[in-house]
Amino acid sequence: MTGPFVFRDGGLLYSLQHPSEENPEPFGRAAVGYFSGFNFTFDGSNDDFEEVGIPETEEEQRDVRSEAGDYEILFYGREPINDGEELLGVTQTPDGTDIMRSDPADPEREERPYFAGTQYGLAGSNPDCNQFVPTNEEETEGYLFTNWENSPGDVSRVPISQDEDGEWSADMENAMNLSNTESLRAHGGTRINCYGDLSPWGTMISAEENYAHPRVNMTDTVGDIVEAESGAGLVGAAHFWNRPNPGEISDAISTYAQYDHLEEDFSPQGSWALTGVEFLAYYLGSDQSDQVDDRNLRTSPIDDVYPNPYRYGYFVDFREPAAEEPEAVKYYVMGRAAWESPDVQGDQKTVYGCSDGDSKGIYKFVADDPIPEYDDPMDVTGTLYAPKITNDAANASEGGERKSPAYVNLEVEWLELGHATNAEVESWVAEYDDVTQVDYFEAHAETNWADDPAAALREADLEVIRNGNQNYVSNEDIVEWARQYEEHGPDGVDDELRRVPFLETRAAAKEIGASIEFNKAEGVDSVDDAGPGDYVYFGISEFNDALADDEGDVQMDRVDGGVVYRAELEDDYNVSTLKPVIVGPDFTDPASVADDALRNVDNVYAMRDGRVLCCEDGFGGPARSYPNDGLYVYEPESVGDTAEEAVEENEEGEENGKGEENETGGKGEENEEGEENGESGENETGGEDDGEN
């Protein structure tokens, strides 16, 4: 249940993401649809709908269910568009070949060219964010921008319109894949487009959820690697970006641990998300000579065109959204992460973002001037910040037991990482545009790959594990940046090191002690044009791992079902206190609790009256008696000075903070998505499983 959007008249739209193919039509394919016959009202009554009960039968579990309105499909992924020359949500090579794995369900499988090898999900199968840009004053016509969470990724633009009866329809003849335009291809395209935001200046901002960016595993730091003089057990997926068959590195490490005296067997964080990287090379025009029948041989490295890792993991703004071809702008200056979503505030300068995955951050960017006032978006200039949790209560226990996150506010100090212009950061990124898979061998192996590719690959892998990938920003540069930062401050580092916090945001933040401990920070939103006194909501899908271990700034009780925090915007659009307003349930709770509570929150969407839509992407169980995700409506009533007061207001609040939601319970329209065992949000350590880290 992802990608909610509420139209001007209160109509509701969302993405039917990765449903089971065994569901009856029309719910067996990924799609985007709306609820016919239902509209939220914004007259203060907040009495819009009846709650739907839990799905008890298999028939109910295979249906999209609501007590208010019927879910109507607008369009499906992989629908033919552009006179059949393209498929919706599917990227193409420069010569117009669809980049997608073979799909056994495709009736034209034998006739349609396809690619063998690994891809991050079947192309056009994971619609996520939807943002509507109207083209008339009544807001009954316009363009629906949709993120496709694949690699290569895509953002589609589909004209939609509403008739006099309130029903919506899509004009598929004039739909387009923005990743196949020259504007976005010039940036290297996109990967894993997840959630996004409708900017105050009326454009879609898409977030790239590049899970393969970690330099280090979990709570480790680059300094740990340098001190240990080995990255065994410490290095993340980023080091293997330009390795031939990068998605196979974990299997290779297991072999090295058994036969090559590698210190330990481990899986680099984010390595599963290296799938699809070579498909990005094809998107950019690389030779596909290793494509034979249904196999991707990759017996030789890609040496002509290869994606630059520093071009992925950003917010992408589609300027001039109604133009024949919108202009794609990547905000490199806002930092590089596994962005789930951005949230631009009413000052049009302050942007909050969440990075999804294990041991990740929430970040803040503040532009020097309102972003739309820059004549050239590449001139956007500003400061990037990382969070530091400062209150002792976040890591204190009572009576030997950890505190529940339900009772503890998080006090945040924002650490300045650096100040730059968008053009400056892009120029640093461009320095790595010519790195290919051949460079992986030449920088790290003594054996000539052409003579013995297997031996050269083994040598290169072991060298990279021990000393890092020398083709990109080095471990030593990150540690030296942090040393100079601590000594001279963010403005006192050497000029050539200023790139570090923008290209290696997570690693740099960890190195200076920022609280990069959030697990699956999956949602951030506020009302449109939010100002001082309004709220920003942060959805943390799982409160575990680094948030519940014995180190760092946050050491609290584990709540696998996650937490939604609320922060009040201050006069300068800063937020300094995160208050828990929805908590639980835990995976150890019984179905009687978990069946009727928000778990594993994904997108959060603040409606104009202050209510918040909370989406789930949690794969049902454990704890649940059914496998479906749902949509909840959170209705805030009052704000206590402390988290404890908020809990006291909730008559159902449990002492351990697990189970029912704080304040009002957060239970509203629970549109059970019709997927019996659909795939879930991927995590950093286990790939496409049930979202548990």
Side-chain angles (χ1 to χ4, degrees):
M1 175 72 75
T2 59
F5 185 85
V6 178
F7 294 101
R8 180 179 179 177
D9 66 356
L12 173 65
L13 172 148
Y14 89 100
S15 292
L16 180 65
Q17 193 177 24
H18 43 64
S20 169
E21 294 180 356
E22 297 178 3
N23 290 340
E25 287 295 323
F27 304 133
R29 288 189 289 161
V32 174
Y34 72 101
F35 284 90
S36 172
F38 170 78
N39 299 82
F40 285 109
T41 59
F42 301 105
D43 57 5
S45 66
N46 292 348
D47 187 20
D48 296 319
F49 49 81
E50 296 293 328
E51 292 187 61
V52 65
I54 65 172
E56 297 179 344
T57 67
E58 181 176 322
E59 181 180 8
E60 290 178 333
Q61 292 168 5
R62 293 189 179 279
D63 191 13
V64 175
R65 304 171 59 246
S66 172
E67 290 296 323
D70 298 314
Y71 188 69
E72 300 290 342
I73 301 295
L74 277 173
F75 52 80
Y76 294 97
R78 302 194 299 280
E79 274 196 51
I81 61 173
N82 190 17
D83 293 327
E85 296 296 318
E86 298 181 66
L87 301 176
L88 189 70
V90 178
T91 55
Q92 293 184 329
T93 63
D95 66 4
T97 302
D98 293 331
I99 302 175
M100 58 186 298
R101 290 186 290 110
S102 172
D103 178 8
D106 186 350
E108 300 179 3
R109 180 175 184 268
E110 298 302 325
E111 291 75 26
R112 189 185 303 280
Y114 63 87
F115 287 84
T118 60
Q119 184 174 14
Y120 184 101
L122 182 64
S125 65
N126 290 334
D128 199 308
C129 179
N130 298 284
Q131 298 292 346
F132 176 66
V133 178
T135 55
N136 66 351
E137 290 186 4
E138 296 78 14
E139 300 187 14
T140 57
E141 297 179 356
Y143 292 104
L144 186 66
F145 289 78
T146 300
N147 279 345
W148 297 89
E149 196 176 345
N150 300 105
S151 180
D154 186 33
V155 180
S156 62
R157 188 186 74 173
V158 178
I160 64 173
S161 60
Q162 188 181 41
D163 63 22
E164 294 181 355
D165 295 325
E167 303 300 328
W168 289 90
S169 61
D171 175 10
M172 301 308 293
E173 292 184 4
N174 291 296
M176 66 186 305
N177 292 314
L178 297 176
S179 285
N180 294 336
T181 64
E182 289 306 313
S183 175
L184 192 49
R185 203 181 290 273
H187 287 279
T190 64
R191 75 181 317 244
I192 316 179
N193 298 83
C194 198
Y195 200 50
D197 192 22
L198 188 64
S199 73
W201 48 93
T203 62
M204 157 70 151
I205 302 180
S206 174
E208 291 184 286
E209 197 172 37
N210 181 18
Y211 286 109
H213 79 281
R215 291 286 301 241
V216 287
N217 280 339
M218 305 303 186
T219 58
D220 301 315
T221 67
V222 174
D224 294 335
I225 296 176
V226 173
E227 182 178 352
E229 298 183 346
S230 172
L234 304 174
V235 295
H239 294 274
F240 306 98
W241 177 273
N242 64 328
R243 176 193 193 271
N245 284 314
E248 297 178 1
I249 183 59
S250 292
D251 291 338
I253 287 174
S254 294
T255 300
Y256 303 148
Q258 185 174 1
Y259 298 108
D260 287 283
H261 306 293
L262 186 65
E263 292 92 325
E264 60 179 292
D265 187 0
F266 68 99
S267 181
Q269 184 175 356
S271 58
W272 56 272
L274 290 169
T275 59
V277 170
E278 290 179 325
F279 276 29
L280 274 171
Y282 306 143
Y283 165 81
L284 296 174
S286 173
D287 181 19
Q288 304 157 43
S289 60
D290 272 349
Q291 295 287 316
V292 177
D293 295 329
D294 62 348
R295 298 182 61 203
N296 182 5
L297 301 180
R298 281 270 63 85
T299 56
S300 60
I302 296 175
D303 62 355
D304 49 359
V305 181
Y306 200 73
N308 176 349
Y310 296 126
R311 289 204 176 274
Y312 308 97
Y314 300 99
F315 299 136
V316 189
D317 191 357
F318 291 95
R319 296 295 185 97
E320 302 179 18
E324 182 176 351
E325 181 178 311
E327 176 193 5
V329 177
K330 285 199 177 186
Y331 291 124
Y332 299 98
V333 72
M334 295 184 187
R336 176 171 168 263
W339 293 119
E340 174 78 24
S341 59
D343 182 32
V344 184
Q345 305 309 309
D347 64 350
Q348 302 189 21
K349 298 194 301 183
T350 305
V351 183
Y352 292 98
C354 287
S355 183
D356 194 1
D358 205 323
S359 302
K360 297 290 183 63
I362 57 175
Y363 298 95
K364 180 176 76 168
F365 172 81
V366 181
D368 292 355
D369 297 301
I371 293 171
E373 291 185 6
Y374 291 91
D375 292 334
D376 184 348
M378 297 309 294
D379 292 335
V380 172
T381 305
T383 305
L384 180 63
Y385 297 86
K388 179 70 174 178
I389 307 302
T390 60
N391 53 314
D392 293 338
N395 59 24
S397 60
E398 292 183 352
E401 294 186 2
R402 293 175 181 268
K403 289 186 176 181
S404 166
Y407 295 88
V408 180
N409 295 335
L410 299 181
E411 302 298 332
V412 184
E413 173 188 343
W414 294 98
L415 306 181
E416 178 180 343
L417 294 177
H419 181 271
T421 72
N422 203 33
E424 278 184 299
V425 183
E426 197 279 335
S427 71
W428 298 328
V429 169
E431 294 181 22
Y432 303 91
D433 278 345
D434 296 329
V435 175
T436 69
Q437 289 184 339
V438 169
D439 294 292
Y440 187 82
F441 288 120
E442 292 184 348
H444 308 110
E446 295 183 2
T447 299
N448 188 314
W449 67 265
D451 296 334
D452 191 342
L457 185 59
R458 182 176 65 253
E459 290 176 14
D461 285 346
L462 291 171
E463 174 61 21
V464 168
I465 291 169
R466 292 182 178 120
N467 296 306
N469 190 323
Q470 302 305 307
N471 298 141
Y472 304 118
V473 174
S474 70
N475 291 336
E476 290 72 21
D477 281 349
I478 295 172
V479 172
E480 177 59 19
W481 170 83
R483 186 192 69 79
Q484 293 186 21
Y485 177 101
E486 296 290 352
E487 187 172 342
H488 305 294
D491 297 327
V493 302
D494 292 343
D495 192 62
E496 64 268 20
L497 294 177
R498 290 180 55 229
R499 71 186 62 196
V500 169
F502 296 97
L503 273 58
E504 296 287 356
T505 304
R506 177 178 181 257
K510 286 162 98 31
E511 210 62 34
I512 62 169
S515 304
I516 309 302
E517 302 177 52
F518 292 91
N519 192 17
K520 297 188 72 62
E522 297 209 43
V524 55
D525 199 32
S526 55
V527 296
D528 291 344
D529 297 319
D534 288 326
Y535 299 120
V536 181
Y537 289 86
F538 296 87
I540 309 302
S541 182
E542 296 180 21
F543 198 99
N544 51 26
D545 290 2
L547 293 169
D549 59 11
D550 295 324
E551 57 186 52
D553 298 318
V554 184
Q555 301 176 34
M556 284 193 280
D557 191 20
R558 181 183 184 108
V559 179
D560 298 306
V563 177
V564 176
Y565 286 99
R566 180 173 67 194
E568 184 174 351
L569 283 171
E570 299 161 4
D571 289 342
D572 59 356
Y573 290 84
N574 182 55
V575 298
S576 58
T577 302
L578 304 184
K579 297 183 178 182
V581 292
I582 307 175
V583 177
D586 192 61
F587 290 166
T588 60
D589 285 328
S592 60
V593 170
D595 278 353
D596 202 24
L598 174 68
R599 70 181 295 280
N600 297 116
V601 62
D602 195 319
N603 309 150
V604 291
Y605 182 99
M607 296 194 291
R608 56 183 177 269
D609 64 353
R611 287 180 294 172
V612 182
L613 301 182
C614 298
C615 298
E616 289 183 327
D617 185 7
F619 197 67
R624 284 253 177 102
S625 66
Y626 55 91
N628 309 87
D629 292 325
L631 174 65
Y632 289 74
V633 176
Y634 171 67
E635 300 178 357
E637 290 182 346
S638 61
V639 184
D641 292 333
T642 66
E644 286 83 352
E645 290 182 16
V647 173
E648 290 171 2
E649 291 175 7
N650 175 20
E651 296 179 353
E652 297 178 339
E654 299 183 8
E655 185 175 285
N656 63 4
K658 302 172 184 177
E660 301 297 341
E661 294 83 7
N662 293 346
E663 293 199 345
T664 62
K667 293 184 292 183
E669 183 179 23
E670 190 181 343
N671 295 320
E672 303 297 348
E673 188 171 342
E675 47 179 279
E676 184 184 31
N677 283 302
E679 295 173 357
S680 177
E682 296 81 356
N683 64 39
E684 295 276 345
T685 59
E688 299 181 6
D689 60 9
D690 63 0
E692 294 176 69
N693 284 320

